[in-house]
Amino acid sequence: MKRSLVTYIGISIICFLLLATVQFILVRNTYELTNARFYFSERIAMKESYSRSIKNDKLFPGGSEIIDGFLSRHLSSLYALYKSGDPAFETYKQVFADSIFHALQQKESIRRFLNKFKQEKKVTDSLDYALIVESLSVNFDNDLYIPIYDKRKRYPLIDSAMQEEAGVRIGGSLRKVSEQNKVNGFSIRGTQGYAYRINFELHVEPYNRQSAILRQMSMTFSLSLLSILIVVTLFFVTFRNWVKQKKLSEMKSDFINNITHELHTPLATIIVANKNLQNGRILERKENIQPLTDVIQRQSERLKILIDEVLDIASTNRIVLDKKEYRLNDLLDELLLDYRLKLMDTNIELVFHKETDKDLARFDKFHFTTMLLNIFDNAVKYNSNEIKKLAVTTRADRHGDLQVLIQDNGIGISSEDLKHVFEKFYRAPDQYKMQSKGLGLGLYYVRKIIDAHGWSIRVDSKPSKGSQFIITIPHSNK
């Protein structure tokens, strides 16, 4: 069974991991698609509005004037240094670019544009943005553009706080710029007695982009998680039922093996005794007849008991109680007296402690005594000590409920077996080691009687330390 369990669990884990991987890929692809399409219609409208607002302009309304003003004042000096090959050209162009960028940064007006756009389009989201210059170059000779700034380089004389991987930040606090939040990008040439080219981009998105995407995908996440939970739950239920059925099948197989042996033994003895009774030489002496009839009587009674135990399998599910009021101490005195007579020739110490005189209770005498005898028999049967001890105690607990305690010094029960001791057909491995015969129905019958009376039972036990059965009769049941 252990090997089949490991195989079953291993296959199930592999299937679960495959399912989880497929779910993850589907959810991730859905997220990427949602991320790419997020704020798509708003960005289209914003792109049109932004393009109109900077028509014949650059970066923002008034940006072209700032750039043209700097170029008109410094272009001749830039040209002269470039033509002469003076190394100072590199220094001069960086200082020139830094001055332009700072001037643009001071006059940047994208926030006003966005506020106007939100008002016109009734957009309620708080918007963040980034206005980025990617490159700036001037034309000195024909169509040859000389780079003043390029985002692919770092310039020591341009303010490092403005330089980013995407370019020089002119305005806004949006940290992550990407194609998903890009509103528009321009590459514009200026021609006012000279030529220059500037590439810039505007990126805009709501402050809560990630949470908004997650909200949009909440149904997808929920359904994905729910499907996994359903699969895990179905696996758990199926696995648990499979283990129970497998265990029940094994217990039934053990039951069939046990009952076959148990029934066969007295039956074979009866057959042998009967054949001897048919032997003429044995019948010639009357003193030989009595022992054989005694054997038949004993084995017949044993066979009847076994048959009754088998019938209990069906009958214990339909227990009808005939409850009457009894003095529990008196009843236990009688029961234990008979049990002592039965065990007279054995090394068994049987004691009875009466710790309460409030022992009045209502119960079915037949089922109650049979239940106790089952517990007593187990205490004796599963005990390998030279002197077997059995102590019965009646007491009242702190709630005033009546309790019956049966304590033995037997082989005990492991914590794992304690979970199953009241199951039908169950026999612990230690019971097989002792080669004790039984059908695994005794404690099952005990539980059925306890439930039928509305009482409770608890077992405290440790291997090799003995066991204690505690039956609690609620005050309301007395």
Side-chain angles (χ1 to χ4, degrees):
M1 181 176 177
K2 185 175 181 181
R3 181 179 297 177
S4 60
L5 277 175
V6 172
T7 303
Y8 186 93
I9 293 173
I11 293 174
S12 301
I13 291 174
I14 292 172
C15 292
F16 173 75
L17 291 176
L18 289 175
L19 174 63
T21 302
V22 171
Q23 287 277 29
F24 173 77
I25 293 172
L26 290 175
V27 171
R28 185 189 63 184
N29 291 343
T30 303
Y31 174 84
E32 291 176 352
L33 179 61
T34 304
N35 187 38
R37 299 289 298 178
F38 179 73
Y39 232 63
F40 182 77
S41 59
E42 289 83 352
R43 281 191 283 115
I44 294 296
M46 199 179 298
K47 177 179 180 179
E48 295 173 356
S49 182
Y50 178 60
S51 298
R52 288 195 303 269
S53 71
I54 62 168
K55 188 176 182 180
N56 300 322
D57 216 324
K58 301 168 185 69
L59 287 104
F60 52 85
S64 180
E65 182 180 350
I66 295 172
I67 298 172
D68 291 342
F70 272 88
L71 283 172
S72 63
R73 293 193 300 272
H74 298 279
L75 187 64
S76 58
S77 300
L78 278 170
Y79 181 69
L81 290 171
Y82 174 73
K83 276 295 186 181
S84 66
D86 193 330
F89 172 74
E90 188 66 28
T91 300
Y92 192 87
K93 77 172 185 179
Q94 291 187 49
V95 174
F96 168 72
D98 183 70
S99 300
I100 291 179
F101 295 150
H102 274 99
L104 289 170
Q105 194 176 62
Q106 292 174 2
K107 299 294 184 178
E108 179 263 314
S109 59
I110 294 298
R111 178 57 64 190
R112 288 197 297 271
F113 158 73
L114 291 177
N115 290 337
K116 183 179 178 181
F117 172 80
K118 288 172 61 178
Q119 187 176 7
E120 291 175 354
K121 301 298 182 180
K122 295 181 173 53
V123 175
T124 58
D125 295 319
S126 297
L127 300 177
D128 199 3
Y129 69 96
L131 183 60
I132 304 292
V133 172
E134 294 183 312
S135 66
L136 175 64
S137 57
V138 295
N139 185 306
F140 294 132
D141 291 317
N142 299 322
D143 205 24
L144 178 63
Y145 282 85
I146 305 303
I148 302 299
Y149 167 77
D150 191 312
K151 70 175 183 179
R152 292 171 294 183
K153 299 180 180 179
R154 295 289 294 184
Y155 298 85
L157 300 180
I158 297 177
D159 189 351
S160 60
M162 301 176 68
Q163 295 184 75
E164 300 176 2
E165 184 178 353
V168 167
R169 181 179 291 268
I170 301 302
S173 58
L174 179 63
R175 301 321 305 172
K176 186 177 180 180
V177 297
S178 64
E179 286 299 316
Q180 281 75 31
N181 54 36
K182 179 179 175 181
V183 170
N184 213 340
F186 294 91
S187 179
I188 299 177
R189 298 185 182 188
T191 56
Q192 188 174 334
Y194 45 81
Y196 70 91
R197 183 168 59 201
I198 185 169
N199 295 334
F200 60 94
E201 291 181 346
L202 175 64
H203 297 260
V204 181
E205 72 175 22
Y207 281 99
N208 60 341
R209 177 188 182 91
Q210 294 299 324
S211 59
I213 293 175
L214 293 177
R215 280 198 304 272
Q216 290 183 19
M217 292 188 62
S218 59
M219 182 62 71
T220 302
F221 286 130
S222 299
L223 291 175
S224 178
L225 182 61
L226 180 62
S227 65
I228 290 178
L229 288 176
I230 290 174
V231 170
V232 171
T233 302
L234 288 175
F235 162 74
F236 175 76
V237 172
T238 303
F239 177 74
R240 184 184 62 183
N241 291 339
W242 178 76
V243 171
K244 284 185 177 180
Q245 290 299 322
K246 191 171 182 62
K247 186 179 294 184
L248 182 61
S249 176
E250 291 176 350
M251 287 191 297
K252 285 184 177 179
S253 296
D254 293 337
F255 166 75
I256 291 172
N257 293 334
N258 285 330
I259 195 62
T260 300
H261 175 78
E262 292 286 338
L263 292 173
H264 184 269
T265 301
L267 189 59
T269 305
I270 291 171
I271 292 172
V272 171
N274 185 59
K275 284 185 177 179
N276 286 330
L277 285 175
Q278 294 174 355
N279 190 320
R281 287 180 298 176
I282 292 177
L283 290 176
E284 289 177 356
R285 301 180 62 183
K286 292 184 178 180
E287 61 270 21
N288 292 334
I289 298 176
Q290 186 62 41
L292 291 174
T293 57
D294 290 342
V295 168
I296 293 174
Q297 178 65 28
R298 285 196 301 272
Q299 296 303 321
S300 297
E301 290 177 356
R302 176 170 174 75
L303 192 58
K304 181 180 182 301
I305 291 171
L306 289 171
I307 293 171
D308 288 341
E309 284 193 33
V310 174
L311 292 175
D312 279 342
I313 298 172
S315 64
T316 51
N317 289 321
R318 300 187 302 274
I319 294 175
V320 178
L321 300 179
D322 180 19
K323 293 200 288 187
K324 295 180 182 179
E325 200 169 72
Y326 297 96
R327 286 285 178 186
L328 189 58
N329 287 336
D330 294 341
L331 180 63
L332 286 171
D333 272 330
E334 295 176 3
L335 180 63
L336 294 173
L337 177 60
D338 292 344
Y339 204 70
R340 285 190 182 95
L341 293 174
K342 174 183 175 182
L343 304 173
M344 186 175 293
D345 297 329
T346 58
N347 294 326
I348 295 178
E349 290 184 6
L350 183 59
V351 295
F352 180 28
H353 303 291
K354 303 175 186 178
E355 296 183 3
T356 180
D357 56 0
K358 296 179 180 180
D359 60 341
L360 201 61
R362 286 180 58 82
F363 50 84
D364 184 297
K365 182 179 179 180
F366 171 78
H367 287 298
F368 180 73
T369 54
T370 306
M371 174 188 71
L372 290 180
L373 288 172
N374 272 319
I375 298 176
F376 295 167
D377 287 342
N378 277 354
V380 174
K381 186 188 303 182
Y382 303 115
N383 194 325
S384 56
N385 291 297
E386 184 176 347
I387 298 177
K388 303 176 181 181
K389 298 180 180 180
L390 182 61
V392 180
T393 305
T394 57
R395 72 181 185 186
D397 68 6
R398 59 191 180 92
H399 301 294
D401 295 336
L402 183 60
Q403 289 187 328
V404 180
L405 287 70
I406 301 102
Q407 175 79 51
D408 66 62
N409 66 335
I411 62 173
I413 308 170
S414 69
S415 58
E416 183 61 31
D417 290 325
L418 275 176
K419 303 174 185 177
H420 309 287
V421 290
F422 294 113
E423 293 179 6
K424 188 187 294 186
F425 306 125
Y426 186 78
R427 298 188 72 213
D430 287 341
Q431 296 173 1
Y432 289 110
K433 291 177 184 177
M434 296 195 65
Q435 298 181 345
S436 299
K437 303 301 179 182
L439 305 178
L441 294 172
L443 292 182
Y444 170 75
Y445 175 79
V446 169
R447 166 60 72 183
K448 297 299 289 187
I449 297 304
I450 291 291
D451 292 343
H453 281 86
W455 302 343
S456 64
I457 187 168
R458 187 178 86 243
V459 185
D460 296 330
S461 185
K462 290 183 179 179
S464 74
K465 300 294 183 181
S467 304
Q468 183 181 60
F469 287 76
I470 304 173
I471 301 169
T472 300
I473 304 173
H475 188 270
S476 58
N477 280 189
K478 293 180 184 178

